[in-house]
Amino acid sequence: MTRKRAPRIVASIAVLGLVAAACGGNDDDAEPADEPAAEPAAEPADEPAEEPTDEGDHAGHDLSGVCPSPLVIQTDWFPESEHGTLYEMVGDDYVVDVEGRRVEGSLVVAGGTVDTGIDIQVRAGGPAIGFSAPRVQMYADDSIHIGYSSNDGAILATEDAPTIAVMAPLEKNPQIVMWDPETYPDVETIADLKPLGVTVNVFAGGTFPDVFVAQGILDAEQIDPSYDGSPSRFIAEAGAIAQQGFASAEPYNYENVFEEWGKPVKFQLIHDAGFQIYSQPLAVKTGDVETLRPCLEKFIPIAQQATIDFANSPDRAIGVIIDTVAQFDDFWVYDEGVANFSVQTMKDLGLKGNGPDSTVGNFDLDRVQAAIDAMASAGMDVPEGLTAEQLVTNEFIDESIGF
């Protein structure tokens, strides 16, 4: 496979915003025969049937013959640190397909030092797929094996494009509502915007505004679904409005990148306001679970460990992300500043981390059911009797892997 070119650092962030993604060891160790040595003088032959490797805890991660190669994963946006779990598994021999908006390389573990025997291909989403949801793309293109499928979208797509999530790289949804603390010094939470009648600019088609209106956190008259990802309106109105964003991106961009603003913003996570979906979990088409089961049993623990490895030592994967974005040479650009801010923020806010137990990547079924019930109560098109077990599963999770 052709070697990558050296990473290229890009100096600015896009004005278009984010849209709102342990393998068992070998079992064939040779065992000694049950026959005693008849002649003491005869030394047994040195038979290192399976010599130990130097790979430590990562030994045995051979996915060849078990998983498809390349293992194709569809994301919901351009490469970014929120997708760090995936890029942590992309080897240094990666090749960027600019036209296809994808990157492919050896699927690796242990910081890129151990090859699993197959390739991984990570595909960009958002504009790269006409803003189609990854789950929709999965049904349109059978070459995709795994895709992001956030709980709220999966709930609404249960009948037309059903998916089941098999791991959650993000413990908390990075989505926020943000506001100017100078304009609204007494606002501490999203609910505090309601009595002030502050306009909340959001992407059209999102679920959390309807849930918050149904729960009385916001008024319907406050919701303006015209947000396009640009900072232009927030800046032009001098922070008179509130706006949707990502905790791991917008606060950095508004203070450090968007010079017309150049100061901090304040925010609350959608999660902390009470709507606790799993954002960007890895999912497969419901009908593909059995076919992919042998692969998922070995791959998902690798992805769990990659989540930890990226959080603890992100530099190599960030280099892959930045170089891939640079080679795409699109409106979306990404630099080390926002990449590292994102990693630190995900740690600080618990966006990446263990669940209520000591395991990373697993699902709290009560939390998923609460999201289903909240959306149904908001009058959304939720199938009657839908349960969390139809949307997520922990069967491929290795409970021993955690931060």
Side-chain angles (χ1 to χ4, degrees), residues 358-384:
S358 59
T359 302
V360 66
N362 59 341
F363 299 96
D364 180 339
L365 269 64
D366 290 339
R367 176 175 150 187
V368 177
Q369 190 63 52
I372 294 171
D373 296 341
M375 291 174 62
S377 297
M380 298 184 197
D381 190 15
V382 177
E384 186 175 355

mmCIF file of all heavy atoms in Angstrom, residues 358-384:
data_model
loop_
_atom_site.group_PDB
_atom_site.id
_atom_site.type_symbol
_atom_site.label_atom_id
_atom_site.label_comp_id
_atom_site.label_asym_id
_atom_site.label_seq_id
_atom_site.Cartn_x
_atom_site.Cartn_y
_atom_site.Cartn_z
ATOM 1 N N SER A 358 -17.645 0.340 35.024
ATOM 2 C CA SER A 358 -16.222 0.507 34.723
ATOM 3 C C SER A 358 -15.894 0.122 33.286
ATOM 4 O O SER A 358 -14.743 -0.157 32.965
ATOM 5 C CB SER A 358 -15.386 -0.341 35.688
ATOM 6 O OG SER A 358 -15.744 -1.713 35.583
ATOM 7 N N THR A 359 -16.885 0.127 32.413
ATOM 8 C CA THR A 359 -16.729 -0.324 31.024
ATOM 9 C C THR A 359 -16.915 0.836 30.060
ATOM 10 O O THR A 359 -17.813 1.663 30.242
ATOM 11 C CB THR A 359 -17.743 -1.436 30.700
ATOM 12 O OG1 THR A 359 -17.550 -2.523 31.612
ATOM 13 C CG2 THR A 359 -17.595 -1.938 29.281
ATOM 14 N N VAL A 360 -16.091 0.878 29.026
ATOM 15 C CA VAL A 360 -16.247 1.896 27.994
ATOM 16 C C VAL A 360 -16.998 1.302 26.808
ATOM 17 O O VAL A 360 -16.806 0.145 26.438
ATOM 18 C CB VAL A 360 -14.874 2.440 27.535
ATOM 19 C CG1 VAL A 360 -14.045 1.374 26.836
ATOM 20 C CG2 VAL A 360 -15.044 3.655 26.623
ATOM 21 N N GLY A 361 -17.904 2.099 26.235
ATOM 22 C CA GLY A 361 -18.564 1.709 24.996
ATOM 23 C C GLY A 361 -19.878 0.991 25.145
ATOM 24 O O GLY A 361 -20.564 0.754 24.142
ATOM 25 N N ASN A 362 -20.272 0.639 26.366
ATOM 26 C CA ASN A 362 -21.532 -0.087 26.525
ATOM 27 C C ASN A 362 -22.701 0.875 26.686
ATOM 28 O O ASN A 362 -22.531 2.077 26.875
ATOM 29 C CB ASN A 362 -21.458 -1.058 27.706
ATOM 30 C CG ASN A 362 -21.149 -0.369 29.032
ATOM 31 O OD1 ASN A 362 -20.652 0.753 29.059
ATOM 32 N ND2 ASN A 362 -21.432 -1.046 30.130
ATOM 33 N N PHE A 363 -23.906 0.325 26.602
ATOM 34 C CA PHE A 363 -25.125 1.124 26.632
ATOM 35 C C PHE A 363 -25.890 0.897 27.931
ATOM 36 O O PHE A 363 -25.986 -0.232 28.423
ATOM 37 C CB PHE A 363 -26.041 0.764 25.460
ATOM 38 C CG PHE A 363 -25.434 1.011 24.107
ATOM 39 C CD1 PHE A 363 -24.808 -0.014 23.411
ATOM 40 C CD2 PHE A 363 -25.489 2.267 23.523
ATOM 41 C CE1 PHE A 363 -24.245 0.198 22.164
ATOM 42 C CE2 PHE A 363 -24.932 2.500 22.270
ATOM 43 C CZ PHE A 363 -24.308 1.464 21.591
ATOM 44 N N ASP A 364 -26.455 1.969 28.454
ATOM 45 C CA ASP A 364 -27.398 1.900 29.560
ATOM 46 C C ASP A 364 -28.790 1.810 28.943
ATOM 47 O O ASP A 364 -29.299 2.789 28.379
ATOM 48 C CB ASP A 364 -27.257 3.157 30.424
ATOM 49 C CG ASP A 364 -28.217 3.179 31.608
ATOM 50 O OD1 ASP A 364 -29.234 2.466 31.562
ATOM 51 O OD2 ASP A 364 -27.951 3.933 32.562
ATOM 52 N N LEU A 365 -29.408 0.635 29.007
ATOM 53 C CA LEU A 365 -30.686 0.424 28.334
ATOM 54 C C LEU A 365 -31.788 1.299 28.907
ATOM 55 O O LEU A 365 -32.684 1.732 28.163
ATOM 56 C CB LEU A 365 -31.085 -1.053 28.385
ATOM 57 C CG LEU A 365 -30.593 -1.898 27.193
ATOM 58 C CD1 LEU A 365 -29.081 -1.966 27.139
ATOM 59 C CD2 LEU A 365 -31.179 -3.306 27.222
ATOM 60 N N ASP A 366 -31.745 1.594 30.203
ATOM 61 C CA ASP A 366 -32.751 2.487 30.794
ATOM 62 C C ASP A 366 -32.637 3.882 30.199
ATOM 63 O O ASP A 366 -33.652 4.555 29.969
ATOM 64 C CB ASP A 366 -32.583 2.554 32.310
ATOM 65 C CG ASP A 366 -32.977 1.258 33.002
ATOM 66 O OD1 ASP A 366 -33.730 0.463 32.394
ATOM 67 O OD2 ASP A 366 -32.532 1.039 34.148
ATOM 68 N N ARG A 367 -31.421 4.315 29.960
ATOM 69 C CA ARG A 367 -31.199 5.630 29.355
ATOM 70 C C ARG A 367 -31.749 5.674 27.931
ATOM 71 O O ARG A 367 -32.385 6.652 27.527
ATOM 72 C CB ARG A 367 -29.699 5.923 29.375
ATOM 73 C CG ARG A 367 -29.278 7.195 28.698
ATOM 74 C CD ARG A 367 -27.784 7.405 28.915
ATOM 75 N NE ARG A 367 -27.184 8.122 27.813
ATOM 76 C CZ ARG A 367 -25.878 8.327 27.674
ATOM 77 N NH1 ARG A 367 -25.041 7.876 28.594
ATOM 78 N NH2 ARG A 367 -25.403 8.986 26.619
ATOM 79 N N VAL A 368 -31.527 4.612 27.158
ATOM 80 C CA VAL A 368 -32.055 4.553 25.798
ATOM 81 C C VAL A 368 -33.576 4.536 25.824
ATOM 82 O O VAL A 368 -34.242 5.221 25.030
ATOM 83 C CB VAL A 368 -31.497 3.326 25.056
ATOM 84 C CG1 VAL A 368 -32.113 3.218 23.664
ATOM 85 C CG2 VAL A 368 -29.974 3.403 24.953
ATOM 86 N N GLN A 369 -34.152 3.776 26.741
ATOM 87 C CA GLN A 369 -35.614 3.716 26.831
ATOM 88 C C GLN A 369 -36.199 5.071 27.211
ATOM 89 O O GLN A 369 -37.252 5.469 26.713
ATOM 90 C CB GLN A 369 -36.039 2.668 27.864
ATOM 91 C CG GLN A 369 -37.538 2.371 27.851
ATOM 92 C CD GLN A 369 -38.001 1.769 26.527
ATOM 93 O OE1 GLN A 369 -37.427 0.787 26.054
ATOM 94 N NE2 GLN A 369 -39.031 2.361 25.927
ATOM 95 N N ALA A 370 -35.491 5.808 28.075
ATOM 96 C CA ALA A 370 -35.953 7.145 28.452
ATOM 97 C C ALA A 370 -35.992 8.075 27.244
ATOM 98 O O ALA A 370 -36.896 8.907 27.114
ATOM 99 C CB ALA A 370 -35.055 7.723 29.545
ATOM 100 N N ALA A 371 -35.013 7.939 26.343
ATOM 101 C CA ALA A 371 -35.010 8.752 25.124
ATOM 102 C C ALA A 371 -36.190 8.381 24.222
ATOM 103 O O ALA A 371 -36.840 9.261 23.638
ATOM 104 C CB ALA A 371 -33.694 8.572 24.379
ATOM 105 N N ILE A 372 -36.459 7.085 24.105
ATOM 106 C CA ILE A 372 -37.615 6.632 23.323
ATOM 107 C C ILE A 372 -38.893 7.244 23.887
ATOM 108 O O ILE A 372 -39.719 7.812 23.154
ATOM 109 C CB ILE A 372 -37.714 5.092 23.342
ATOM 110 C CG1 ILE A 372 -36.523 4.464 22.622
ATOM 111 C CG2 ILE A 372 -39.025 4.627 22.706
ATOM 112 C CD1 ILE A 372 -36.439 2.950 22.777
ATOM 113 N N ASP A 373 -39.055 7.161 25.188
ATOM 114 C CA ASP A 373 -40.270 7.659 25.828
ATOM 115 C C ASP A 373 -40.389 9.174 25.704
ATOM 116 O O ASP A 373 -41.494 9.702 25.504
ATOM 117 C CB ASP A 373 -40.281 7.255 27.312
ATOM 118 C CG ASP A 373 -40.332 5.741 27.512
ATOM 119 O OD1 ASP A 373 -40.713 5.030 26.548
ATOM 120 O OD2 ASP A 373 -40.003 5.280 28.617
ATOM 121 N N ALA A 374 -39.258 9.880 25.803
ATOM 122 C CA ALA A 374 -39.289 11.339 25.683
ATOM 123 C C ALA A 374 -39.725 11.764 24.286
ATOM 124 O O ALA A 374 -40.512 12.707 24.123
ATOM 125 C CB ALA A 374 -37.919 11.922 26.010
ATOM 126 N N MET A 375 -39.227 11.069 23.268
ATOM 127 C CA MET A 375 -39.604 11.409 21.902
ATOM 128 C C MET A 375 -41.064 11.065 21.625
ATOM 129 O O MET A 375 -41.770 11.804 20.931
ATOM 130 C CB MET A 375 -38.669 10.704 20.918
ATOM 131 C CG MET A 375 -37.242 11.250 20.949
ATOM 132 S SD MET A 375 -36.058 10.328 19.927
ATOM 133 C CE MET A 375 -36.760 10.550 18.297
ATOM 134 N N ALA A 376 -41.527 9.955 22.176
ATOM 135 C CA ALA A 376 -42.938 9.593 22.010
ATOM 136 C C ALA A 376 -43.828 10.630 22.690
ATOM 137 O O ALA A 376 -44.858 11.049 22.133
ATOM 138 C CB ALA A 376 -43.188 8.207 22.588
ATOM 139 N N SER A 377 -43.431 11.079 23.867
ATOM 140 C CA SER A 377 -44.216 12.080 24.594
ATOM 141 C C SER A 377 -44.233 13.423 23.876
ATOM 142 O O SER A 377 -45.156 14.217 24.057
ATOM 143 C CB SER A 377 -43.650 12.257 26.007
ATOM 144 O OG SER A 377 -43.766 11.061 26.752
ATOM 145 N N ALA A 378 -43.200 13.668 23.071
ATOM 146 C CA ALA A 378 -43.138 14.911 22.301
ATOM 147 C C ALA A 378 -43.954 14.830 21.015
ATOM 148 O O ALA A 378 -43.959 15.768 20.218
ATOM 149 C CB ALA A 378 -41.692 15.245 21.978
ATOM 150 N N GLY A 379 -44.618 13.696 20.797
ATOM 151 C CA GLY A 379 -45.479 13.552 19.626
ATOM 152 C C GLY A 379 -44.765 13.149 18.364
ATOM 153 O O GLY A 379 -45.327 13.253 17.267
ATOM 154 N N MET A 380 -43.533 12.657 18.489
ATOM 155 C CA MET A 380 -42.795 12.221 17.301
ATOM 156 C C MET A 380 -43.286 10.846 16.853
ATOM 157 O O MET A 380 -43.963 10.137 17.604
ATOM 158 C CB MET A 380 -41.292 12.197 17.592
ATOM 159 C CG MET A 380 -40.736 13.553 17.946
ATOM 160 S SD MET A 380 -38.934 13.521 18.180
ATOM 161 C CE MET A 380 -38.698 15.062 19.049
ATOM 162 N N ASP A 381 -42.911 10.492 15.650
ATOM 163 C CA ASP A 381 -43.381 9.249 15.038
ATOM 164 C C ASP A 381 -42.571 8.071 15.547
ATOM 165 O O ASP A 381 -41.743 7.502 14.838
ATOM 166 C CB ASP A 381 -43.285 9.366 13.511
ATOM 167 C CG ASP A 381 -43.981 8.206 12.805
ATOM 168 O OD1 ASP A 381 -44.762 7.504 13.472
ATOM 169 O OD2 ASP A 381 -43.739 8.018 11.597
ATOM 170 N N VAL A 382 -42.832 7.686 16.796
ATOM 171 C CA VAL A 382 -42.128 6.576 17.430
ATOM 172 C C VAL A 382 -43.017 5.337 17.369
ATOM 173 O O VAL A 382 -44.160 5.372 17.816
ATOM 174 C CB VAL A 382 -41.793 6.903 18.897
ATOM 175 C CG1 VAL A 382 -41.124 5.716 19.581
ATOM 176 C CG2 VAL A 382 -40.910 8.147 18.974
ATOM 177 N N PRO A 383 -42.514 4.230 16.811
ATOM 178 C CA PRO A 383 -43.332 3.014 16.736
ATOM 179 C C PRO A 383 -43.810 2.573 18.122
ATOM 180 O O PRO A 383 -43.041 2.571 19.084
ATOM 181 C CB PRO A 383 -42.375 1.982 16.125
ATOM 182 C CG PRO A 383 -41.376 2.796 15.378
ATOM 183 C CD PRO A 383 -41.204 4.054 16.165
ATOM 184 N N GLU A 384 -45.061 2.212 18.206
ATOM 185 C CA GLU A 384 -45.625 1.788 19.483
ATOM 186 C C GLU A 384 -44.918 0.524 19.975
ATOM 187 O O GLU A 384 -44.681 -0.406 19.214
ATOM 188 C CB GLU A 384 -47.123 1.517 19.329
ATOM 189 C CG GLU A 384 -47.831 1.209 20.638
ATOM 190 C CD GLU A 384 -49.328 1.065 20.465
ATOM 191 O OE1 GLU A 384 -49.828 1.303 19.324
ATOM 192 O OE2 GLU A 384 -50.009 0.719 21.455
#
